[in-house]
Amino acid sequence: MGLSTASVYPENTEAAFRYAADLGYDGVELMVWAESVSQDAAAVAALVRRYAIPVQAIHAPCLLISQRVWGADPVAKLERSVRTAESLGATSVVVHPPFRWQRRYADGFADQVADLEQRSDVIVAVENMFPMRADGFFGSKERSAQRLRRRGGPGAALSAFSPSYDPTDSGHAHYTLDLSHTATAGMDAMKLAERMGEGLAHLHLADGRGASMDEHLIPGHGAQPCAQLCRHLVDTGFDGQAVVEINTQNARTQRERSSMLAQALAFAREHLEPGRAASGSPRSHSGGDHDDT
């Protein structure tokens, strides 16, 4: 079970390693974004050694807020993400579908992903996203979630992704399934998992109520079939990676953030690794030399 470094925002990458070590996560997924350490493979390698926590996956810098991270060319950034994964011993790269305005990148995206996987042992798992919903411009998250349930879908919406926010529309060898994104998109997570089939290689374990804004709730705190999907993965012999990617920005203290991350890990252990359900309690790492805060 991995922890996305995005889960500790607004704390930094090192904080994510510290939480992962203290709570008993098996590794981290490194979100590459504006923070300088996240972009520096040597600095991240030092954190791996210090906390005895490996990097399991790299999340390529493809968010709107990271459009200039590692330059402006998305083709080069995806290539660099794979090379960084190789240097850190990570086995996968998570990437979003191209934005519609990235026309050259979008035209060659499927071919680039296939070529990168052919030239490397690192898999490139394309993630499901969600549309921009019109009801996101008015009302609360609760009201937008209620509207989605009444309509049976997101209503008026516009996809910023090419050709679609559903990567199975293009067809790739490997996919990332994000359960917060399925909530916002009004997608059936179980049916999406079935479409991804054996290509489902990476799970972002989170939850959502169907609000117009991406929520990334603790699994079990929203409306997504998190437990059912986990059972499906266990029953079908899933041997990919599962990563907790939740939003803890509302945590008022480090203790509260730690509790949220521990709850998510306990859910993951219970439903994905039944035999290890009791092992999600905090631990100490004799191999690390970090100071607890």
Side-chain angles (χ1 to χ4, degrees):
M1 278 306 311
L3 174 66
S4 168
T5 59
S7 296
V8 308
Y9 181 83
E11 292 191 71
N12 60 18
T13 299
E14 180 168 3
F17 275 85
R18 184 176 67 248
Y19 283 114
D22 290 343
L23 294 173
Y25 280 87
D26 301 312
V28 300
E29 177 184 307
L30 175 68
M31 171 68 77
V32 180
W33 70 297
E35 187 210 5
S36 59
V37 170
S38 74
Q39 304 173 33
D40 186 338
V44 173
L47 294 176
V48 170
R49 293 190 296 271
R50 180 178 184 186
Y51 293 93
I53 289 289
V55 175
Q56 296 174 317
I58 302 292
H59 195 305
C62 42
L63 300 172
L64 284 173
I65 61 172
S66 57
Q67 286 293 287
R68 296 295 174 177
V69 171
W70 285 351
D73 182 0
V75 174
K77 291 199 288 188
L78 183 52
E79 171 89 30
R80 183 168 176 179
S81 297
V82 172
R83 301 287 87 84
T84 300
E86 291 173 336
S87 70
L88 291 171
T91 57
S92 61
V93 166
V94 176
V95 64
H96 296 174
F99 290 114
R100 287 191 178 277
W101 56 84
Q102 296 173 314
R103 294 181 181 177
R104 184 175 68 87
Y105 178 47
D107 288 344
F109 179 70
D111 289 340
Q112 184 191 11
V113 168
D115 179 64
L116 286 170
E117 290 194 317
Q118 186 175 12
R119 294 188 287 113
S120 174
D121 291 331
V122 173
I123 67 167
V124 181
V126 186
E127 184 173 9
N128 62 293
M129 297 302 292
F130 52 89
M132 295 175 59
R133 288 166 44 183
D135 59 353
F137 297 102
F138 57 88
S140 66
K141 290 182 179 180
E142 289 76 11
R143 288 182 179 178
S144 64
Q146 291 170 0
R147 282 191 290 271
L148 182 141
R149 288 194 294 271
R150 287 198 304 268
R151 293 167 174 163
L158 175 68
S159 175
F161 300 96
S162 178
S164 168
Y165 55 83
D166 180 350
T168 66
D169 287 343
S170 299
H172 299 282
H174 298 103
Y175 300 101
T176 295
L177 175 57
D178 187 300
L179 289 168
S180 177
H181 295 175
T182 55
T184 302
M187 300 177 73
D188 186 316
M190 297 303 299
K191 289 182 178 178
L192 179 58
E194 290 173 4
R195 291 199 299 277
M196 290 179 171
E198 293 183 357
L200 203 174
H202 200 85
L203 174 68
H204 278 168
L205 186 56
D207 210 335
R209 297 167 294 180
S212 58
M213 303 296 290
D214 192 20
E215 294 181 286
H216 284 278
L217 304 176
I218 296 169
H221 287 215
Q224 290 300 284
C226 297
Q228 181 183 356
L229 179 71
C230 288
R231 287 196 299 271
H232 167 74
L233 294 180
V234 171
D235 291 345
T236 55
F238 176 71
D239 62 355
Q241 295 175 331
V243 170
V244 166
E245 188 181 66
I246 63 172
N247 184 343
T248 65
Q249 291 183 56
N250 292 332
R252 292 163 294 183
T253 64
Q254 289 184 339
R255 184 182 296 275
E256 186 174 350
R257 175 166 291 115
S258 180
S259 175
M260 296 171 73
L261 298 174
Q263 288 179 59
L265 178 60
F267 183 98
R269 295 285 193 220
E270 177 183 357
H271 296 286
L272 284 170
E273 302 176 346
R276 291 185 59 186
S279 68
S281 57
R283 69 181 182 186
S284 61
H285 261 265
S286 59
D289 60 356
H290 63 283
D291 296 320
D292 293 332
T293 55

